[in-house]
Amino acid sequence: AFLARRVFGAGTAATHCERALRAQLASVRTGVPAADADTPAVVRLEANRTALLYLHYLDGAPLHASDVQTTEQLIANASLQNLRQHFLGNDARERKRLRKLKLDDGTLFSGPFLWFRFITESIAVEAAKRITGYNRFCVSLAERDAASPATLATMQDWLRRRRDPRGGRTAADPGAVPRAVGYPTTEFTAQDFLGGDPERDRHLESLFGAEVLEVVRIDRRTMVREIFGTRPVHHLPKHDRSFNPLLFYRRRLSRGRVLLVPLLLAWRLLRGLGWVVARVRQIVREVIDPELAMQRREIGQAPFAVAMRKIHRMKAPGLLAAMRLRLALDPVYAGAPPGWSTGEPFVGESEVERDVRFLHLRERAAAELRDAAANARAQVTALHAALAGLPAMPAANDEDRAAGELAVTCAWLADREQVRTLWAAGRWIEEVLPGLASEGLRLGGLRRGWNALCGLFVVHPVDRWLQRQGRPADRATAAALHVAWQQDRAGARAVVAACNALAPGLDPRDAVAGSLAAVFRQGSAVQRDLRALRAVQSLAVLDIRNYRDLVFQLGDYAADGNGEDPAAELP
């Protein structure tokens, strides 16, 4: 229901498409749209594409290194590449930014790759230790009568040690600990430590008893909280977790002690080297003697908010990129109507606002997205005002008209082929340019000399634009335009570049009408690609929600009084 509403819109259409999407999931693995006489063929085709994206999203296991599908779709989906190439321009800088979002291959210095790799590898290692340990030491209820007293004693000792909360992330068991002969069971799998399914827990209880199930729950709770938690910094002394510049100056630099800074730096360097040697020695000893590691471990009882921050560091960068892409193209995401003929109003609360609250963004990042949404709504209003000066765009039926109007709105938002800039070029020349000339802007002597030298080889864009106007401009206007272009004041560079790109003798507004008419005729293809973008962005939202819910359940954060709203909510 969430996916259908976000991809196909609200109301009766969403209900109709949700039913088609549910029917399609039953046969989608064949790649053929499901046969349904009550559903139009176009809707079945769109539901098939959305269901394929959904199944690809399900291929990756949560909390595993293979769970990179949402980022892969954002970077490599053909529909999204069409939108970037034909509406936004797919330059090298944008491709480089997208590559930084990769989760399966990236750099340690930027992007979410570092957090994703560290957390997934930690989970894999710790879960593997537990799978091996429980299969080695636990004996099922049906086999306990035939087991030796030593085997049962070893199992009880294992369960006692696993109850210790300091065993959250420890090395393998030391060789001195007695082990059961062979593997008494192979029942324990990753589901028991990374799934948290109540039905699976009841199955373990029926096989091994309530005591083993209780230890499994404690163990996976400790593991998850240790990985998604943090060090208890608030327990440190205040001077070890804060820095006071004034106090540092008074103690180290005042009264001429600044002359001793080289000696202080040398002493701090020696102390740092000593700390590194001591730390390496401690790590080696803990690896050799894991029981010592458990005794010295600092247990971090961090709240669920800390786990959410780590989840967002892994998954939120891709979602934010998809949100920005939708704001640049999709009027519905910003709360604006997709077209104009039906008279749909602007909505009170947009989808992007709900997504901002869902991510608990900081004020600066939230303000950036809200400003982009407000700008998109303003641009849609400007488009509706400009339609009075554009010729009518005929369509064969209502579906084609709706798709064509959505495509025109997307092109206007993205300023495809500079349609917004060209539409405002005439007003800019009549209103903005005289104001720049009245300010008396003048280039400096060095800049004038440089422009004169460059003019021997190439024509300056401003001079080319003045020549295309067909009328001579006075010196004050030409000088002011040169300064405005050099400083990019009042959008001068965009207007000059857009006008220079036109064919000679073509009026800017005629060019806008031709570009929008061409986009209107391609409405079905644009609507198809835009729905793919909505699906990919909505799946990224669902991905973060599922991570929150799973970590919340495995870590038993409800016992801390957190409630389930932060984990299970959907925007």
Side-chain angles (χ1 to χ4, degrees), residues 156 190 253 447 523:
Q156 291 299 324
L253 304 179
R447 174 58 61 179

Side-chain angles (χ1 to χ4, degrees), residues 475-496:
R475 285 191 172 186
T477 302
L481 190 55
H482 272 281
V483 175
W485 187 90
Q486 183 66 36
Q487 300 176 357
D488 196 16
R489 299 183 59 174
R493 286 195 178 186
V495 173
V496 170

Side-chain angles (χ1 to χ4, degrees), residues 82-330:
N82 284 341
L83 295 175
R84 293 191 186 99
Q85 180 178 356
H86 298 297
F87 282 84
L88 301 175
N90 195 8
D91 57 0
R93 180 178 299 179
E94 178 63 21
R95 290 194 295 270
K96 183 177 180 180
R97 282 198 295 264
L98 287 174
R99 284 196 298 269
K100 290 183 179 180
L101 300 176
K102 297 178 66 175
L103 296 178
D104 54 348
D105 182 23
T107 175
L108 299 179
F109 302 102
S110 62
F113 169 76
L114 176 65
W115 282 97
F116 181 76
R117 179 53 58 91
F118 279 2
I119 289 179
T120 53
E121 287 190 356
S122 297
I123 290 173
V125 170
E126 297 301 325
K129 292 177 184 177
R130 284 158 176 77
I131 294 170
T132 303
Y134 279 87
N135 282 330
R136 178 168 295 169
F137 289 102
C138 292
V139 182
S140 64
L141 295 176
E143 298 175 353
R144 289 184 186 178
D145 292 339
S148 65
T151 300
L152 297 178
T154 302
M155 183 185 72
Q156 291 299 324
D157 181 63
W158 161 260
L159 296 177
R160 176 187 57 79
R161 288 186 292 111
R162 296 318 302 172
R163 287 178 181 271
D164 193 337
R166 290 174 297 181
R169 298 178 71 181
T170 60
D173 295 286
V177 176
R179 299 178 179 180
V181 179
Y183 285 81
T185 182
T186 57
E187 187 64 33
F188 291 92
T189 64
Q191 298 179 84
D192 304 316
F193 304 100
L194 302 176
D197 187 5
E199 186 175 352
R200 176 68 183 179
D201 287 351
R202 289 191 294 269
H203 172 68
L204 289 181
E205 184 178 11
S206 65
L207 289 180
F208 297 94
E211 182 183 10
V212 173
L213 177 60
E214 180 187 2
V215 175
V216 168
R217 287 174 172 172
I218 294 174
D219 208 356
R220 72 187 176 201
R221 174 187 186 275
T222 306
M223 178 187 71
V224 169
R225 289 201 174 213
E226 185 77 12
I227 294 175
F228 285 92
T230 184
R231 291 185 59 193
V233 181
H234 59 285
H235 292 162
L236 297 176
K238 187 176 181 180
H239 63 273
D240 288 340
R241 51 188 169 95
S242 62
F243 175 72
N244 190 324
L246 179 60
L247 187 61
F248 177 78
Y249 171 77
R250 289 176 177 176
R251 288 182 176 180
R252 302 295 183 183
L253 304 179
S254 63
R255 298 182 181 181
R257 281 176 286 193
V258 67
L259 300 177
L260 301 178
V261 168
L263 296 177
L264 176 62
L265 293 178
W267 171 244
R268 288 297 178 92
L269 179 62
L270 292 175
R271 288 186 59 184
L273 292 175
W275 180 87
V276 170
V277 172
R279 183 60 179 163
V280 171
R281 177 175 176 270
Q282 178 184 353
I283 293 174
V284 172
R285 289 188 62 189
E286 290 181 355
V287 171
I288 296 175
D289 188 0
E291 298 293 337
L292 179 64
M294 291 179 62
Q295 296 172 8
R296 295 182 176 181
R297 182 165 300 280
E298 297 180 68
I299 305 302
Q301 293 293 336
F304 183 65
V306 176
M308 284 181 58
R309 285 201 300 269
K310 289 193 175 184
I311 294 171
H312 291 178
R313 286 166 182 165
M314 292 191 297
K315 293 290 185 174
L319 174 57
L320 288 173
M323 291 170 64
R324 295 187 184 99
L325 184 59
R326 280 196 70 183
L327 282 175
L329 292 169
D330 191 359

Side-chain angles (χ1 to χ4, degrees), residues 414-564:
D415 199 14
R416 180 184 181 183
E417 298 179 359
Q418 292 82 42
V419 290
R420 282 194 286 113
T421 305
L422 289 173
W423 185 261
R427 184 177 178 182
W428 189 91
I429 295 172
E430 296 174 0
E431 299 180 4
V432 179
L433 186 57
L436 295 174
S438 64
E439 295 181 16
L441 301 176
R442 294 290 186 274
L443 287 174
L446 183 61
R447 174 58 61 179
R448 288 199 304 271
W450 174 256
N451 287 349
L453 180 61
C454 293
L456 298 176
F457 304 97
V458 295
V459 180
H460 195 278
V462 173
D463 296 331
R464 187 184 307 115
W465 182 76
L466 292 173
Q467 294 172 5
R468 292 170 61 96
Q469 297 305 304
R471 56 179 176 81
D474 58 275
R475 285 191 172 186
T477 302
L481 190 55
H482 272 281
V483 175
W485 187 90
Q486 183 66 36
Q487 300 176 357
D488 196 16
R489 299 183 59 174
R493 286 195 178 186
V495 173
V496 170
C499 292
N500 286 341
L502 293 178
L506 180 62
D507 184 79
R509 297 208 168 189
D510 292 340
V512 171
S515 297
L516 293 183
V519 173
F520 185 87
R521 291 191 295 269
Q522 300 170 353
S524 298
V526 175
Q527 186 182 55
R528 174 203 64 205
D529 293 342
L530 193 62
R531 283 175 174 171
L533 171 59
R534 292 173 180 174
V536 170
Q537 191 265 338
S538 301
L539 289 173
V541 173
L542 195 61
D543 194 30
I544 292 180
R545 182 265 184 188
N546 289 343
Y547 264 69
R548 287 182 185 175
D549 187 43
L550 183 58
V551 172
F552 188 89
Q553 299 296 333
L554 295 177
D556 193 22
Y557 287 97
D560 299 343
N562 288 281
E564 296 191 9

